[in-house]
């Protein structure tokens, strides 16, 4: 049959890989949006501060962990209360409206993987849409290709957004800082009173290693 001949020629491999990437992207979306981003539990001890390790001595000693004014838990270093989630989140990065969930200590690496897979899917889809366009200066051509042209433009917009978001997050991760710390440096006590501009920075390689591994 025609399907068997296409399989023998390897013509079905690329569509299959594309479908698997789309499926992987959807599964990652639900995983990141539904998982615990690192909520601070009320029963956790005051001195427990995961993920800071050797960088804590660089923070001024007069800065003490404070109690959140909303949920009344003792906030570890780099935690922040999210009023949309109604929880304090460890290593809070931002609240993502697309995920309807916070990006924090636990789901930030998966969020980066999700963005990477999504970017590959968008680039692939954009290539497919572009390859189907044959431009002609006629009204009849526009009527027959308007849907494909709009699809390509929409894919292009999303590709630019995802690419910029991925690059920005990779830069922040390489500096061992978060979106919240980068945007609100002047309002965060442990950064405002620190002698170093970024007391958590341990070099690009070690920052990336600690984040992803």
């Amino acid at each position: 049959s025609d399907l068997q001949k296409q399989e023998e020629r390897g013509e079905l491999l690329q569509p299959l890989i594309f479908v698997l990437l789309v499926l992987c992207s959807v599964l990652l979306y639900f995983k990141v949006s539904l998982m615990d981003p690192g909520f601070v539990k009320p029963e956790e001890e005051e001195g427990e501060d995961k993920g800071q390790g050797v960088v804590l001595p660089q923070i001024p000693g007069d800065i003490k962990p404070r109690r959140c004014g909303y949920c009344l838990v003792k906030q570890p270093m780099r935690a922040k209360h999210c009023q949309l989630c109604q929880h304090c989140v460890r290593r809070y990065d931002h609240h993502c409206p697309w995920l309807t969930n916070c990006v924090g200590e636990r789901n930030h690496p998966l969020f980066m993987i999700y963005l990477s897979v999504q970017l590959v899917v968008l680039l692939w889809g954009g290539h497919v849409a572009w390859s189907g366009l044959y431009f002609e200066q006629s009204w009849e051509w526009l009527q027959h290709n308007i849907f494909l042209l709009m699809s390509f433009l929409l894919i292009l917009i999303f590709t630019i957004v995802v690419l910029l978001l991925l690059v920005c997050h990779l830069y922040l991760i390489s500096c061992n800082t978060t979106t919240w710390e980068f945007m609100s440096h002047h309002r965060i006590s442990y950064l405002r009173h620190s002698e170093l501009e970024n007391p958590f920075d341990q070099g690009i390689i070690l920052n990336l290693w600690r984040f992803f591994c």
Side-chain angles (χ1 to χ4, degrees):
S1 64
D2 292 339
L3 192 62
Q4 288 177 331
K5 291 178 181 178
Q6 288 178 331
E7 184 179 0
E8 291 172 358
R9 292 194 299 264
E11 295 176 0
L12 297 180
L13 183 60
Q14 288 190 359
L16 179 61
I17 294 175
F18 181 77
V19 170
L20 289 176
L21 280 173
V22 172
L23 180 61
C24 180
S25 174
V26 172
L27 292 176
L28 281 170
Y29 170 82
F30 283 109
K31 176 66 176 177
V32 176
S33 63
L34 295 176
M35 74 180 295
D36 178 356
F39 294 135
V40 180
K41 303 299 190 298
E43 64 271 13
E44 291 176 353
E45 296 179 2
E46 180 179 353
E48 182 184 358
D49 201 352
K50 299 178 182 177
Q52 307 309 323
V54 296
V55 300
L56 282 179
Q58 299 172 341
I59 307 298
D62 57 340
I63 298 177
K64 305 296 182 184
R66 68 183 186 91
R67 190 174 291 276
C68 176
Y70 296 97
C71 54
L72 302 179
V73 299
K74 293 179 180 178
Q75 284 186 336
M77 191 76 72
R78 310 187 80 177
K80 182 184 181 298
H81 183 86
C82 175
Q83 297 193 31
L84 294 173
C85 292
Q86 294 297 310
H87 284 286
C88 285
V89 181
R90 287 183 175 274
R91 201 181 183 279
Y92 175 87
D93 189 86
H94 70 285
H95 182 92
C96 180
W98 173 247
L99 297 172
T100 63
N101 192 16
C102 282
V103 175
E105 184 181 75
R106 293 191 62 192
N107 65 349
H108 200 170
L110 272 180
F111 177 72
M112 295 300 295
I113 296 173
Y114 164 69
L115 286 180
S116 302
V117 174
Q118 191 66 51
L119 181 60
V120 173
V121 170
L122 286 169
L123 288 172
W124 197 335
H127 171 71
V128 172
W130 178 259
S131 64
L133 288 172
Y134 300 95
F135 293 97
E136 295 179 7
Q137 294 183 350
S138 67
W139 176 249
E140 185 179 354
W141 176 89
L142 185 61
Q143 284 183 315
H144 285 88
N145 292 273
I146 184 66
F147 178 75
L148 189 58
L149 186 60
M150 290 181 64
S151 298
F152 174 76
L153 292 176
L154 189 63
I155 290 172
L156 181 62
I157 293 172
F158 278 113
T159 301
I160 294 173
V161 171
V162 172
L163 179 61
L164 291 175
L165 191 59
L166 183 62
V167 170
C168 288
H169 274 275
L170 284 174
Y171 169 74
L172 294 176
I173 292 166
S174 68
C175 299
N176 198 358
T177 189
T178 63
T179 302
W180 172 58
E181 290 171 341
F182 182 79
M183 300 294 292
S184 307
H185 188 281
H186 61 287
R187 295 194 293 113
I188 302 174
S189 59
Y190 60 81
L191 295 179
R192 190 172 67 248
H193 299 301
S194 174
E195 296 179 358
L196 302 175
E197 183 177 354
N198 179 12
F200 303 108
D201 188 7
Q202 296 178 280
I204 294 177
I205 295 177
L206 191 55
N207 290 338
L208 293 173
W209 174 265
R210 285 183 175 274
F211 181 85
F212 288 107
C213 304

